[in-house]
Amino acid sequence: MAVEVKELLEAGVHFGHLTRKWDPNMAPYVYMERNGIHIINLYKTAAKIEEANAALAKIAASGRKILFVATKKQAKDIVAEKASAINMPYITERWPGGMLTNFVTIRKAVKKMAS
């Protein structure tokens, strides 16, 4: 499933953050600045989507779980529906800081809460 740059453009993926709120690590992916907003390079985005798709396919094929995260209003319902359909865990609400880096601690808390 190849991602088309035209589809990304139609979806509005090219709109980045305000220029004053940017992370310098994003510099290679910023195409230009217009009206105080960074415009994202969709060719590089499409390539990274393909790379991520290949990695996720490999992880899923090995039987491991993939955690889907979508806290933006526009994506919540879609991610919840699609992740449920493939029996994968997902988060669509605000989550505690350090949830991934402190996963062992969080898992203990969840097990304690469940019991």
Side-chain angles (χ1 to χ4, degrees), residues 41-67:
N41 184 326
L42 295 181
Y43 291 100
K44 289 185 179 183
T45 301
K48 289 296 183 182
I49 289 173
E50 294 297 332
E51 191 179 314
N53 187 31
L56 289 170
K58 191 183 244 184
I59 291 168
S62 72
R64 294 167 49 205
K65 292 284 184 187
I66 299 167
L67 174 64

Side-chain angles (χ1 to χ4, degrees), residues 1-2 5-6 9 12 15-16 20 25 28 30 36-37 43 50-51 65 68-69 73 81 84 87 96 98-99 110 112:
M1 176 186 127
V5 172
K6 184 180 177 190
L9 185 64
F15 293 114
R20 67 176 187 270
N25 291 325
V30 174
I37 296 175
Y43 291 100
E50 294 297 332
E51 191 179 314
K65 292 284 184 187
F68 290 85
V69 179
K73 179 178 61 173
E81 177 189 329
S84 294
N87 198 28
M99 186 169 175
V110 169
K112 184 178 179 179

